[in-house]
Amino acid sequence: MGANSSSICELPENEYLKRLSGAEAVSENDPFWNQLLSFSFTAPTSSAELKLLEEATISIFKSLVENNPRTGNLGALIKVFLSRTKELKISAECQNHLFIWQAHNALFIICCLLKVFICQMSEEELQLHFTYEERKPGSYGVECEDLTEELLCCLIQLIVEIPLLDITYSISLEAVTTLVVFLSCQLFHKEILRESVIHKYLMRGRCLPYTSRLVKTLLYNFIRQERSPPPGSHVFQQQTDGGGLLYGFASGVATGLWTVFTLGGVGSKPAPQQEQSSPLANQSLLLLLVLANLTDAPDTPNPYRQAIMSFKNTQDSTAFPSPSPHAFQINFNSLYTALCEQQKSDQATLLLYILLHQNSNVRTYMLARTDMENLVLPILEILYHVEERNSHHVYMALIILLILTEDDGFNRSIHEVVLKNITWYSERVLTEISLGSLLILVVIRTIQYNMTRTRDKYLHTNCLAALANMSAQFRSLHQYAAQRIISLFSLLSKKHNKVLEQATQTLRGSLSSDDSPLPDYAQDLNVIEEVIRMMLEIINSCLTNSLHHNPNLVYALLYKRDLFEQFRTHPSFQDIMQNIDLVISFFSSRLEQAGAQLSVERVLEIIKQGAVALPKDRLRKFPELKFKYVEEEQPEEFFIPYVWSLVYNSAVALYWNPQDIQLFTMDSG
């Protein structure tokens, strides 16, 4: 990028950048391109570093925007890149560092320019800049070539066809990033884009045949989690014999900007987190999520979503249902392992949600796993640390649990998995507990957190729905889990009494006053009573379906029997209280017959004996509690801003000025 630049402040005066953006057209065959593209650098790893770069080159960008309609230099640069990508696969196989290095540098410049163009102009204006060519006498009226679709198709081919090696890692990452940038027009619109030029190119025409291969490659990039190779391994290195004429030319040009100035600082070490991460895996996942959430065209469903919904396991030999135009196969075991290991990130949790919700093959496979704890524990940990997570991440984790609890086999198996020493659970030392009991504890903790902090009805509803789905299969509940179920009911009972008292006092005061309108305590009471009803149904479901499997719940019920007195005659709860009242009366009678001063062990023994003796027909049967997750209407109104907030906040994000973002407010990501 110039032999004389050695610091970021000198970029605006760099002779090569000035010529690229200047008023003089540069032919795509000009030796200038070899000089411009022969630079080596440490790739930016954060939005802060990219911000420095962008701020230093504002004048270059402005000059290019002004001059490009006459010079067509942007188009010439793109054509240079396109011509070099034709030999990339052979270059990778032959270890031709120089060729790959220059192609990468061309794409890096294109990506930086493209991002600024997209921030500053409409898609239509952007497309015009891709069509501009050098204006020569007599050339007016000649139809110009549109390079947009060709570049998009080339990027996809690069991603799916170039083998991932140390020397190709950077250009593969840059290709994925450039596709994200192409789609970033959405960031600068408040409304969801439903008709986009870029979307049309990606969902039909030359790009369409690559749909399944692109989705598969992006998934494998996520699965493999390949770390960025050591600095210098992707840059053309001097050979021991001097490298010949080609190396001498390249090294003579590349002594400037990037060999001296690196965005991380000369000699600086990357942060430990950066060392451990895989930029390509992260960026591939973000691109996959963006593609999966593109809106359907009026006459064309989103092919990327179709591919995600229909892919199968490599071990599945059954035929694909017809029609399945974008179906493919992938190793489910590797995918499952990667999903289990990566759940600390929002985007991995969102991918898990999409696969469980939309791909029945993946859902069936996961529910059949015998090591479900590897997937469930990271999800529970997200919910347990609710204070540290954004609300969207918590919702996704909760909906995943709801989807899993729709399956009775899952609800049975989680009580058979015994865990030891859950270190992240700090309220109480859990030396041994079933996965099912731990799940109950974490969901109840989430409900209690929500009651005191966020008060989100949607979160309440989904937590209770997950508990309700599991309730008929509760087995051998841990004593602490049983206690927490009754403690939650106690908390709800106190809240109910408090609101009832406030309503009564306010009503009395209003009889002697003509003040402002009364608070709507009736609505508050209605919400609390709905939740209390749900909790009673959950307890009742457990008692009627698996009483003999849960002595600890009966023990906790008897210990706090006074809690249920006020609800026995309440018109909203009378029916559901019949069974609970019967169980309390039956076991209380047996304990009285056994005498006073009973030990905990003796009480539990009497409960176990009583559970066998209690006639099952005495408990009234209620309809089975079953709740199914249903995606809201127009889910794109939620998911598209969410996905782009993840892109914006990503560790390998591109830099966007917060003031330019229209899709979401900066505190909502």
Side-chain angles (χ1 to χ4, degrees):
M1 204 181 281
N4 298 321
S5 297
S6 58
S7 69
I8 196 167
C9 63
E10 295 178 16
L11 276 175
E13 300 305 318
N14 180 277
E15 59 178 297
Y16 298 100
L17 291 177
K18 288 177 73 174
R19 186 175 175 192
L20 172 67
S21 62
E24 177 190 349
V26 184
S27 165
E28 59 193 273
N29 299 315
D30 196 302
F32 159 79
W33 299 109
N34 283 328
Q35 298 166 332
L36 174 71
L37 302 178
S38 293
F39 61 89
S40 57
F41 68 103
T42 300
T45 57
S46 71
S47 56
E49 293 171 356
L50 284 156
K51 180 182 178 183
L52 287 174
L53 178 62
E54 187 169 309
E55 289 175 346
T57 51
I58 287 175
S59 61
I60 299 292
F61 292 133
K62 286 182 177 178
S63 177
L64 184 62
V65 171
E66 180 182 341
N67 292 317
N68 189 60
R70 293 183 298 277
T71 65
N73 283 348
L74 176 62
L77 172 62
I78 292 170
K79 288 177 183 177
V80 168
F81 169 71
L82 292 173
S83 68
R84 298 188 182 217
T85 55
K86 293 173 183 175
E87 305 296 332
L88 268 181
K89 192 171 183 179
I90 296 174
S91 299
E93 292 169 357
C94 299
Q95 297 284 305
N96 188 336
H97 291 245
L98 178 62
F99 200 88
I100 296 170
W101 169 38
Q102 291 194 337
H104 167 266
N105 291 349
L107 184 55
F108 176 75
I109 296 173
I110 291 169
C111 187
C112 291
L113 295 173
L114 181 62
K115 194 193 74 65
V116 176
F117 275 55
I118 286 175
C119 290
Q120 296 181 357
M121 60 187 69
S122 67
E123 278 191 307
E124 291 73 19
E125 291 175 291
L126 173 66
Q127 199 172 17
L128 278 176
H129 273 278
F130 275 68
T131 63
Y132 292 138
E133 294 181 348
E134 180 187 0
R135 291 188 180 178
K136 299 176 182 177
S139 64
Y140 295 98
V142 177
E143 186 176 342
C144 295
E145 182 183 2
D146 177 13
L147 295 171
T148 311
E149 184 175 25
E150 191 171 351
L151 178 57
L152 285 168
C153 195
C154 175
L155 292 172
I156 293 173
Q157 289 172 333
L158 196 160
I159 293 168
V160 304
E161 293 180 354
I162 303 303
L164 187 58
L165 310 168
D166 278 359
I167 60 171
T168 61
Y169 189 98
S170 290
I171 195 167
S172 297
L173 174 59
E174 205 61 51
V176 172
T177 301
T178 306
L179 279 178
V180 173
V181 171
F182 255 120
L183 290 159
S184 67
C185 296
Q186 178 63 80
L187 279 172
F188 312 105
H189 292 79
K190 286 185 178 180
E191 303 298 324
I192 301 301
L193 287 179
R194 300 185 186 278
E195 292 186 10
S196 162
V197 175
I198 306 302
H199 293 187
K200 288 178 182 176
Y201 282 136
L202 287 171
M203 293 203 288
R204 61 186 69 180
R206 293 174 57 190
C207 295
L208 187 61
Y210 293 96
T211 297
S212 59
R213 290 178 66 191
L214 178 59
V215 171
K216 184 175 182 176
T217 302
L218 295 175
L219 276 172
Y220 268 126
N221 285 348
F222 167 71
I223 289 169
R224 292 170 67 178
Q225 292 290 318
E226 293 282 356
R227 298 183 186 180
S228 182
S233 59
H234 60 291
V235 176
F236 186 74
Q237 303 292 326
Q238 184 170 4
Q239 299 171 16
T240 53
D241 61 357
L245 178 63
L246 206 56
Y247 175 76
F249 166 75
S251 63
V253 175
T255 55
L257 172 65
W258 297 112
T259 51
V260 177
F261 168 69
T262 61
L263 290 171
V266 176
S268 65
K269 293 183 179 179
Q273 186 176 353
Q274 291 175 339
E275 286 182 340
Q276 298 301 317
S277 67
S278 170
L280 180 61
N282 187 60
Q283 208 79 321
S284 294
L285 178 53
L286 291 171
L287 175 58
L288 182 63
L289 295 174
V290 170
L291 292 171
N293 286 282
L294 296 179
T295 55
D296 294 333
D299 57 342
T300 311
N302 180 344
Y304 301 97
R305 189 182 301 123
Q306 286 185 315
I308 287 171
M309 291 171 64
S310 61
F311 72 83
K312 300 195 309 182
N313 193 355
T314 48
Q315 296 181 349
D316 187 347
S317 58
T318 59
F320 281 102
S322 182
S324 300
H326 306 296
F328 63 91
Q329 291 180 289
I330 201 167
N331 188 309
F332 276 18
N333 183 59
S334 300
L335 177 61
Y336 179 81
T337 301
L339 286 166
C340 293
E341 292 174 349
Q342 300 301 321
Q343 283 307 306
K344 288 186 179 179
S345 76
D346 284 69
Q347 45 266 42
T349 305
L350 180 54
L351 176 63
L352 175 58
Y353 158 77
I354 290 172
L355 295 178
L356 279 172
H357 178 52
Q358 298 183 359
N359 190 314
S360 59
N361 300 318
V362 172
R363 184 168 62 252
T364 301
Y365 173 84
M366 289 188 175
L367 288 169
R369 294 282 304 206
T370 57
D371 58 349
M372 276 297 289
E373 67 273 16
N374 292 337
L375 186 69
V376 175
L377 281 173
I379 298 299
L380 294 182
E381 197 169 351
I382 293 168
L383 292 175
Y384 185 79
H385 296 112
V386 58
E387 303 94 338
E388 303 167 15
R389 305 290 182 181
N390 68 69
S391 59
H392 292 349
H393 199 184
V394 172
Y395 285 146
M396 287 299 100
L398 192 52
I399 293 169
I400 287 167
L401 287 185
L402 180 55
I403 292 171
L404 293 173
T405 60
E406 291 171 12
D407 183 77
D408 287 341
F410 171 83
N411 295 331
R412 285 190 295 271
S413 65
I414 55 175
H415 292 287
E416 298 168 2
V417 178
V418 178
L419 308 168
K420 296 182 184 294
N421 300 317
I422 308 301
T423 54
W424 47 262
Y425 195 96
S426 59
E427 272 89 345
R428 178 164 173 160
V429 176
L430 300 174
T431 53
E432 188 172 290
I433 188 170
S434 72
L435 179 60
S437 289
L438 181 64
L439 196 159
I440 292 166
L441 284 175
V442 173
V443 171
I444 287 176
R445 184 179 184 275
T446 306
I447 294 173
Q448 291 179 323
Y449 174 84
N450 187 49
M451 286 176 64
T452 57
R453 306 282 183 88
T454 55
R455 300 183 181 182
D456 186 326
K457 185 180 178 182
Y458 180 81
L459 193 137
H460 253 11
T461 302
N462 284 285
C463 283
L464 290 167
L467 289 176
N469 284 346
M470 293 188 292
S471 58
Q473 276 85 32
F474 282 173
R475 294 288 188 277
S476 305
L477 289 184
H478 191 281
Q479 61 180 19
Y480 186 51
Q483 289 170 16
R484 298 310 297 163
I485 291 172
I486 305 304
S487 294
L488 175 59
F489 185 81
S490 174
L491 187 64
L492 291 166
S493 175
K494 290 175 184 175
K495 195 170 183 64
H496 179 268
N497 294 340
K498 183 178 179 181
V499 174
L500 196 60
E501 185 180 346
Q502 288 174 335
T504 305
Q505 291 176 351
T506 304
L507 188 60
R508 286 173 183 164
S510 69
L511 296 176
S512 57
S513 172
D514 296 325
D515 290 337
S516 56
L518 299 174
D520 190 3
Y521 286 114
Q523 185 177 356
D524 289 348
L525 266 178
N526 185 51
V527 171
I528 295 171
E529 288 180 359
E530 281 182 10
V531 177
I532 288 175
R533 168 87 190 184
M534 191 79 156
M535 280 302 301
L536 288 172
E537 288 180 342
I538 289 167
I539 294 170
N540 178 73
S541 174
C542 176
L543 296 178
T544 54
N545 289 284
S546 52
L547 174 69
H548 58 294
H549 288 300
N550 292 290
N552 283 327
L553 181 63
V554 176
Y555 185 101
L557 199 63
L558 294 171
Y559 191 75
K560 292 285 187 177
R561 71 190 80 175
D562 294 344
L563 279 176
F564 298 88
E565 280 293 328
Q566 61 177 310
F567 300 107
R568 185 180 297 170
T569 57
H570 194 292
S572 298
F573 312 120
Q574 272 183 318
D575 60 335
I576 204 73
M577 276 298 301
Q578 289 178 15
N579 285 341
I580 296 172
D581 196 33
L582 188 152
V583 169
I584 290 174
S585 300
F586 177 82
F587 285 99
S588 294
S589 173
R590 292 183 74 91
L591 290 174
E592 287 173 6
Q593 293 172 13
Q597 304 297 322
L598 299 173
S599 66
V600 173
E601 291 76 13
R602 178 59 182 149
V603 171
L604 285 171
E605 185 182 340
I606 293 169
I607 290 172
K608 290 175 183 177
Q609 293 169 352
V612 176
L614 178 65
K616 300 294 183 291
D617 56 1
R618 291 185 61 186
L619 295 174
R620 177 184 168 187
K621 289 290 183 183
F622 286 84
E624 184 183 9
L625 290 179
K626 222 49 177 168
F627 294 88
K628 190 174 180 64
Y629 168 68
V630 179
E631 200 168 66
E632 294 181 8
E633 292 184 14
Q634 295 186 311
E636 66 271 12
E637 299 290 342
F638 168 82
F639 285 105
I640 290 177
Y642 179 33
V643 168
W644 279 106
S645 73
L646 298 181
V647 175
Y648 180 85
N649 291 303
S650 170
V652 287
L654 289 137
Y655 167 71
W656 284 287
N657 189 331
Q659 296 175 346
D660 295 334
I661 305 299
Q662 298 292 316
L663 182 60
F664 49 81
T665 55
M666 298 318 298
D667 59 350
S668 69

